[in-house]
Amino acid sequence: KRRHKHILTPFFRKKKTHNQKMAIEMDLFRSEEMELVQLIIPAEAAHDTVQTLGSVGLVAFRDLNKDKSAFQKTYANQVKRCDEMLRKLRFFTEHMNKAGITIRKEIGDGSGGGYGGRFNSNEEETDGYGRENNNNNRVISIDELEHTLDVLSEEVSQLSANTEKLRRSHGELVELQLVLEKAGGFFEEARSDANRHQDEEDSLRMMRRENARQDEESLLSSSFRSEIDDEGLGNGGSPSRMTRRTGSFIDQNHPDHDVERNDASMGGVAASARLGFITGTINTEKVHAFERVLFRATRGNVFLKLANIDGHVEEPTTGEKTFKTVYVVFFAGERARNKIVKICEGFNANRYPFPEDFTRQRQMNAECSGRLVELRSTLEASIRHRDRTLSKVAKDLWFWFTLVRREKATYHAMNMFSIDVTRKCLVAEGWCPTSAKSRVSEAVVIANRNSSASVGTIFASISHKGQTPPTYYRTTKWTNVFQQIVEAYGVARYREVNPTVMTIVTFPFLFAVMFGDFGHGIIMLAFAIYMVLKERQISEKPMGEIFSMVFHARYCILVMAAFSVYTGVLYNECFSVPMKIFGASKYVCDPIDPTKDTTCDSQYTTGLVSRDDSAYPFGVDPVWHGTRSELPFLNSLKMKMSILLGVTQMMVGIFMSLLNQLKDGDWLSVYCEFIPQVVFLGGLFGYLSFLIVLKWITPGCTADLYHVMIYMFLAPGNVDCMGEGPGGSAGCPENKMFPGQGGLQLLILFGCFVAVPVMLFPKPIILKRRHEQKSRGGTYVRLDENDGDGMQQLNSSEELRSLGGNSSNNNNSSGDDHGHGDGEFDFGDVLVHQMIHTIEFVLGAISNTASYLRLWALSLAHAQLSAVFWDRCLMAAVESGSIVAIVIGFGVWLGATLGVLLGMESLSAFLHALRLHWVEYQNKFYKGDGIKFTPLEFTSLTGMPEEAS
């Protein structure tokens, strides 16, 4: 049987040298160079070769059987077989989760008393099926695993089914016993009430009899006297007449006869319309709806008795613990009974038998108690046996999941191969990084040698002309999260400039600009350091969806927190409180002010004076905090800073596009896109950035930059508003910041207006001219040796080569985007496409610059919100002097800081920084429509998949 030991250990890797590490870091700027390789593998070595390449994880196979469905491929049965084994493993996982058995999450070898894998050679033990496994380092094969899973799944199914039956029977008996107790109480109460009523009726009946007897005696005495008076005893009266008359009176008036007659008549009615009843249990939360439906369905012709059960009761069908209520429904007639039964079924109310005889009730209760004791012991024994079986499986389940998932991935990859007519070898094609070609070749040789194949595997590079290679970056734990941020927008084209290199610095820095606070940054930094130091322990524990995202971004959070601490020091803020790390202030009270040592009244009139001409050592002078001019000053500072950062980043994006164009040799795009874009963006907002910096470094400059930029378009060349002042003088002389400013603005305006048509018209016209000359024919030259034998037709015009460059040699050049090449050329489509790009850039230059003002807005909002929480929550409580108020105020402040500022505000700043990179920065050069390199990699196929866990 085939051995699978090598698929569970990574392929041997050589230790990287310093130069190799530097090469990996530099390769992040552009994707790895890829080669299309072909493998001709003997059939007997195909499985081992694929598994070895999966351990290496550097080959992405191409599907050579796209025209076939999944069921028509060669190894469809093997894939189906692996799917069935995975289903059984998920079946085990489900039962282990229900039983609360922990699965050992590690790649073991099956040792430790499990059912498969290696076994301890010091002890003789069986694999559960009567076979001894005392051989050292024995590895379970996929065939043995399939047999093991078949036997175990059948065994666990039977154990689970038996346990479920026993549990259900136990639950039903528990409910039956509760019904007997509660319903028995109903009937016992009714019986006692009936007896009481019967006693009352008996006493009433005795009273009636006594009253009747007394009435009879009185009547007899009166009748006897009347007879004596009428006839007299001595006159020969007959006593039989008296007797007959008296007897007739008793028959008609004796109350006992009336009672017996009523009883007989009532007994006949009860026999014909006797009440029936149904007993059972129902969820307490459904009782009110159950009662209403019963009343409406029977039109009120039912009598319902309810009794709540104390504590939780296990539902027999589901095993869940719920609150239940015992019910007894009394009804009359078979039709009402059928309705009540259907209503009970609709509400999932369990029905149980209940005898009317009190002796039978006690007997049934005793039988239930005895059977419950037996069932409880049987159920516990069944659960112990099932848990022992599942515990053995749990020791090797992680190993089995890994083995089967990798086996399935192997056959799935082999289904992409084509098979020759003799069916003796398989032909595979795939993409491989050029730097890893030797390593892949070595792995192929080792796999062929381990499989003992009769012939070797052929490994060679083939031409990939006309095919787009995939994009692959080698990343580390630090750079991977930033690469994922970029690829969430789109995968880079092959060998396109990767925005991740700049994003590693710019993303956390822009976040920190909006989140700048020393105290908040320290808390976030401590949290990130904790996650980095404890990453192994945290990764082994189950995590929620939200915390999982936070944990995977721990290195990004670490850098963002470090930059937040830096910008907090720049802003001189710690929980909105000014810091004096670099001194109290550059400004002091005016020495001639008599109140300089007390209140310094001159600070509200003439202002403070500077110590010297130097600036504050680092960051914002803390003297601004708490003053009336704090907001105007910080607003102006942060708004101008946002514009400078935005223009700088957008200009970097445009120069990134130059690197792509130079790499592709697309000189046409350099002349007709890059240069006009730099002129337009630099002429407008680059000039504005220059004026901002000039105003900062010019002492006493009071120029209104808004006014300067508006008049630049409304009155070109008129910088100081000449003619608008008194007597035709300059109306705003302060706006003239340097000599020749008017002429420079005229030149900038001219360049901006010329740049727009240059971006729009020349490129489509030149592309049309190139296509026309190419269609008329050209000269023939011999192809390069990499392009095969034959001739290639080239344009004879050297001018076109100088304008268009060598863009036709690259599949991803901008020329292909505009319709030239081997396909049909449509001048209208190209012109519309170029027009869209031009309008998008021109309008985007304005809107994107304005979009960077979010840096100013969020930074100001964060600082003010932090100040509100500090002053209104904490300081207000401290000023009250009450210990209780201080404790409560500190708790409110801490909760607001952690929940609002560190939670919601950090997420808001993160999303805004993400938008600035995706929309304002990357759209200047990043296409994001590449193909991601997805190799066959076994390291990601370890243990259980997420849907199984």
Side-chain angles (χ1 to χ4, degrees):
K1 295 182 180 179
R2 185 182 291 113
R3 304 299 183 185
H4 301 274
K5 178 179 179 181
H6 61 282
I7 72 168
L8 299 176
T9 55
F11 189 75
F12 178 76
R13 299 182 180 181
K14 296 180 179 179
K15 187 176 180 180
K16 298 182 179 67
T17 63
H18 177 73
N19 293 333
Q20 288 174 329
K21 291 181 180 179
M22 290 296 295
I24 292 175
E25 294 173 0
M26 293 303 296
D27 285 342
L28 190 63
F29 190 70
R30 293 191 186 274
S31 62
E32 293 273 344
E33 293 186 0
M34 306 297 290
E35 288 191 20
L36 184 61
V37 297
Q38 185 181 62
L39 294 90
I40 303 177
I41 313 169
E44 62 272 18
H47 185 275
D48 290 342
T49 301
V50 173
Q51 291 209 331
T52 304
L53 293 178
S55 299
V56 175
L58 291 172
V59 179
F61 293 104
R62 297 176 62 239
D63 192 358
L64 303 180
N65 300 312
K66 291 182 179 180
D67 54 336
K68 295 182 180 180
S69 65
F71 302 101
Q72 294 176 332
K73 295 184 178 180
T74 307
Y75 299 98
N77 291 332
Q78 285 80 354
V79 173
K80 185 177 179 181
R81 173 189 177 194
C82 293
D83 285 333
E84 180 64 19
M85 287 191 284
L86 286 174
R87 184 194 64 80
K88 293 175 182 177
L89 291 174
R90 288 192 296 269
F91 169 77
F92 295 145
T93 305
E94 180 181 354
H95 281 77
M96 290 175 190
N97 292 335
K98 288 182 179 180
I101 298 175
T102 304
I103 301 172
R104 189 172 61 183
K105 295 184 178 182
E106 59 183 9
I107 289 296
D109 51 13
S111 61
Y115 278 95
R118 296 193 183 99
F119 295 86
N120 190 354
S121 60
N122 296 328
E123 299 182 21
E124 289 189 2
E125 50 183 320
T126 64
D127 58 0
Y129 312 105
R131 297 175 299 180
E132 294 185 355
N133 292 292
N134 53 3
N135 51 326
N136 191 23
N137 291 334
R138 193 183 73 82
V139 180
I140 189 170
S141 68
I142 199 68
D143 297 327
E144 292 175 335
L145 178 58
E146 184 180 22
H147 173 69
T148 301
L149 294 180
D150 289 339
V151 176
L152 282 175
S153 61
E154 183 178 356
E155 181 181 355
V156 172
S157 297
Q158 292 178 355
L159 289 173
S160 299
N162 294 335
T163 304
E164 181 64 23
K165 290 179 181 178
L166 291 172
R167 185 198 58 77
R168 183 166 185 171
S169 299
H170 180 268
E172 291 175 350
L173 281 176
V174 169
E175 287 195 352
L176 177 58
Q177 191 176 38
L178 292 171
V179 168
L180 290 173
E181 293 176 0
K182 298 293 183 179
F186 296 154
F187 283 91
E188 182 64 27
E189 182 182 356
R191 188 177 295 108
S192 62
D193 291 342
N195 291 334
R196 188 180 71 254
H197 288 300
Q198 185 66 34
D199 293 339
E200 292 177 356
E201 290 180 359
D202 290 344
S203 62
L204 181 61
R205 191 176 301 170
M206 292 298 294
M207 291 176 62
R208 288 178 179 178
R209 286 180 180 178
E210 183 65 25
N211 292 335
R213 187 180 61 78
Q214 292 177 359
D215 292 341
E216 181 181 358
E217 290 178 354
S218 62
L219 287 173
L220 283 174
S221 61
S222 62
S223 176
F224 182 71
R225 285 194 299 267
S226 63
E227 287 289 340
I228 293 175
D229 292 339
D230 292 342
E231 299 179 4
L233 290 174
N235 295 332
S238 176
S240 61
R241 182 179 176 184
M242 182 187 67
T243 306
R244 286 195 304 271
R245 189 175 296 176
T246 305
S248 176
F249 181 81
I250 294 174
D251 288 342
Q252 293 176 3
N253 298 284
H254 200 287
D256 287 344
H257 292 271
D258 294 337
V259 172
E260 290 173 2
R261 193 181 302 114
N262 292 335
D263 290 344
S265 62
M266 291 179 65
V269 173
S272 61
R274 185 174 180 178
L275 292 178
F277 61 89
I278 294 176
T279 59
T281 59
I282 187 173
N283 288 342
T284 303
E285 60 185 12
K286 299 180 180 179
V287 166
H288 298 293
F290 180 67
E291 188 173 359
R292 288 195 300 269
V293 173
L294 279 177
F295 181 83
R296 293 175 181 176
T298 61
R299 298 182 180 180
N301 294 321
V302 294
F303 180 69
L304 179 65
K305 291 288 289 183
L306 300 170
N308 292 329
I309 300 174
D310 297 333
H312 290 86
V313 179
E314 182 178 316
E315 174 65 35
T317 55
T318 61
E320 297 179 355
K321 298 286 187 179
T322 58
F323 289 100
K324 286 207 165 187
T325 300
V326 174
Y327 67 88
V328 180
V329 184
F330 295 92
F331 60 89
E334 187 65 23
R335 185 175 181 181
R337 181 185 183 280
N338 293 334
K339 289 183 179 179
I340 295 171
V341 169
K342 290 181 180 178
I343 292 172
C344 292
E345 292 176 352
F347 279 89
N348 293 325
N350 300 324
R351 293 177 288 116
Y352 295 98
F354 186 82
E356 297 183 23
D357 184 37
F358 179 70
T359 306
R360 178 58 183 156
Q361 293 176 17
R362 297 184 63 180
Q363 182 182 357
M364 184 179 289
N365 198 353
E367 291 177 357
C368 285
S369 299
R371 290 187 59 191
L372 275 174
V373 174
E374 296 176 359
L375 269 177
R376 191 173 292 111
S377 60
T378 306
L379 179 61
E380 291 175 355
S382 178
I383 292 176
R384 283 196 301 270
H385 182 41
R386 183 199 64 184
D387 291 349
R388 280 197 302 268
T389 305
L390 291 176
S391 298
K392 280 188 176 183
V393 175
K395 295 178 181 178
D396 297 324
L397 189 67
W398 195 264
F399 171 83
W400 289 347
F401 259 114
T402 302
L403 183 63
V404 177
R405 291 182 66 193
R406 295 181 178 183
E407 189 75 8
K408 179 183 176 182
T410 300
Y411 285 115
H412 181 72
M414 292 172 65
N415 276 331
M416 299 181 183
F417 302 169
S418 63
I419 303 178
D420 67 340
V421 292
T422 61
R423 303 186 69 86
K424 292 183 178 180
C425 64
L426 285 76
V427 179
E429 293 182 4
W431 295 100
C432 170
T434 302
S435 59
K437 186 177 177 182
S438 59
R439 185 176 168 192
V440 172
S441 176
E442 182 181 357
V444 169
V445 173
I446 294 175
N448 186 272
R449 184 169 60 247
N450 292 338
S451 63
S452 302
S454 57
V455 294
T457 301
I458 299 176
F459 176 80
S461 299
I462 59 177
S463 174
H464 57 83
K465 187 176 182 180
Q467 301 182 31
T468 303
T471 302
Y472 171 58
Y473 297 102
R474 281 185 287 180
T475 58
T476 63
K477 292 188 295 185
W478 285 85
T479 60
N480 182 58
V481 59
F482 295 100
Q483 186 66 43
Q484 290 181 357
I485 289 174
V486 171
E487 291 185 352
Y489 178 85
V491 180
R493 289 182 174 182
Y494 177 65
R495 302 294 290 168
E496 183 182 12
V497 171
N498 187 11
T500 306
V501 177
M502 299 295 296
T503 302
I504 293 174
V505 177
T506 58
F507 185 87
F509 179 71
L510 293 184
F511 170 87
V513 169
M514 297 178 279
F515 195 74
D517 189 282
F518 182 80
H520 299 156
I522 287 294
I523 296 176
M524 184 180 292
L525 183 64
F527 177 65
I529 291 175
Y530 171 79
M531 288 193 297
V532 171
L533 296 179
K534 300 290 184 179
E535 61 180 11
R536 184 171 182 179
Q537 294 88 330
I538 297 175
S539 61
E540 293 175 354
K541 299 178 181 178
M543 294 179 286
E545 183 178 358
I546 296 178
F547 183 74
S548 177
M549 291 188 294
V550 174
F551 176 72
H552 287 102
R554 58 193 180 277
Y555 291 102
C556 180
I557 296 175
L558 179 65
V559 183
M560 291 191 304
F563 274 101
S564 297
V565 173
Y566 170 73
T567 53
V569 175
L570 277 179
Y571 297 157
N572 247 325
E573 289 183 355
C574 179
F575 300 117
S576 77
V577 179
M579 300 184 297
K580 300 180 180 179
I581 301 176
F582 304 98
S585 174
K586 171 194 172 184
Y587 299 94
V588 295
C589 189
D590 193 345
I592 63 176
D593 186 356
T595 61
K596 63 179 179 179
D597 297 329
T598 55
T599 59
C600 187
D601 295 337
S602 62
Q603 65 177 327
Y604 304 111
T605 55
T606 60
L608 301 176
V609 296
S610 177
R611 295 175 185 269
D612 48 37
D613 293 334
S614 62
Y616 189 73
F618 191 82
V620 177
D621 195 319
V623 75
W624 291 101
H625 290 278
T627 62
R628 289 182 298 177
S629 58
E630 177 186 7
L631 277 180
F633 170 74
L634 292 180
N635 278 341
S636 176
L637 172 67
K638 293 183 178 180
M639 182 174 60
K640 293 179 174 64
M641 178 186 64
S642 300
I643 294 175
L644 291 176
L645 292 175
V647 173
T648 302
Q649 189 176 33
M650 289 190 294
M651 192 64 72
V652 170
I654 295 176
F655 275 87
M656 287 286 194
S657 67
L658 174 65
L659 298 179
N660 285 332
Q661 293 160 1
L662 294 178
K663 185 260 177 186
D664 297 334
D666 188 7
W667 293 98
L668 180 61
S669 296
V670 173
Y671 296 141
C672 299
E673 288 184 356
F674 168 73
I675 294 177
Q677 287 177 359
V678 171
V679 171
F680 187 86
L681 183 64
L684 290 181
F685 300 101
Y687 177 64
L688 175 61
S689 302
F690 167 74
L691 293 181
I692 291 173
V693 176
L694 182 63
K695 182 178 179 180
W696 280 349
I697 64 177
T698 302
C701 181
T702 60
D704 188 351
L705 299 185
Y706 295 110
H707 198 272
V708 171
M709 296 302 295
I710 291 173
Y711 263 72
M712 178 177 172
F713 291 91
L714 296 181
N718 188 4
V719 179
D720 53 1
C721 311
M722 182 60 66
E724 298 182 7
S729 61
C732 50
E734 69 277 2
N735 288 346
K736 188 171 184 179
M737 303 176 65
F738 59 91
Q741 184 177 355
L744 179 61
Q745 290 183 357
L746 286 174
L747 181 63
I748 289 174
L749 281 177
F750 176 76
C752 291
F753 281 116
V754 171
V756 175
V758 171
M759 283 188 285
L760 178 59
F761 296 110
K763 187 172 182 178
I765 295 173
I766 293 175
L767 291 176
K768 183 175 182 295
R769 179 186 173 192
R770 178 187 299 173
H771 179 76
E772 291 174 350
Q773 292 194 7
K774 184 177 181 180
S775 61
R776 287 197 297 266
T779 60
Y780 288 87
V781 296
R782 186 169 296 279
L783 292 171
D784 295 335
E785 58 180 4
N786 294 331
D787 294 329
D789 297 332
M791 306 296 289
Q792 180 184 22
Q793 184 178 1
L794 298 177
N795 295 324
S796 58
S797 176
E798 293 294 328
E799 180 183 0
L800 288 177
R801 295 185 65 184
S802 64
L803 289 174
N806 196 24
S807 61
S808 60
N809 292 336
N810 193 299
N811 296 324
N812 293 324
S813 65
S814 61
D816 288 338
D817 291 338
H818 298 287
H820 74 288
D822 296 335
E824 184 178 355
F825 181 84
D826 190 336
F827 178 74
D829 289 345
V830 173
L831 183 61
V832 170
H833 186 83
Q834 190 69 21
M835 185 183 301
I836 293 173
H837 276 281
T838 303
I839 296 174
E840 181 182 7
F841 178 81
V842 172
L843 297 181
I846 301 173
S847 63
N848 292 349
T849 304
S851 181
Y852 276 94
L853 294 178
R854 70 185 67 238
L855 299 174
W856 155 52
L858 267 77
S859 174
L860 182 64
H862 182 82
Q864 294 302 309
L865 196 59
S866 178
V868 168
F869 289 149
W870 179 270
D871 295 335
R872 302 302 178 186
C873 296
L874 187 58
M875 289 295 101
V878 172
E879 291 174 359
S880 67
S882 173
I883 300 298
V884 177
I886 293 175
V887 172
I888 296 176
F890 177 78
V892 173
W893 173 80
L894 182 62
T897 300
L898 296 178
V900 178
L901 296 176
L902 289 174
M904 298 173 60
E905 279 287 315
S906 62
L907 179 60
S908 175
F910 180 90
L911 295 177
H912 282 286
L914 189 66
R915 181 239 154 80
L916 290 176
H917 281 77
W918 281 359
V919 179
E920 278 72 32
Y921 170 57
Q922 292 181 186
N923 70 343
K924 300 295 185 296
F925 67 98
Y926 190 61
K927 302 300 182 182
D929 56 356
I931 303 172
K932 189 174 179 62
F933 179 65
T934 54
L936 175 65
E937 187 177 13
F938 282 171
T939 56
S940 60
L941 300 176
T942 301
M944 295 183 295
E946 293 183 359
E947 61 271 13
S949 58

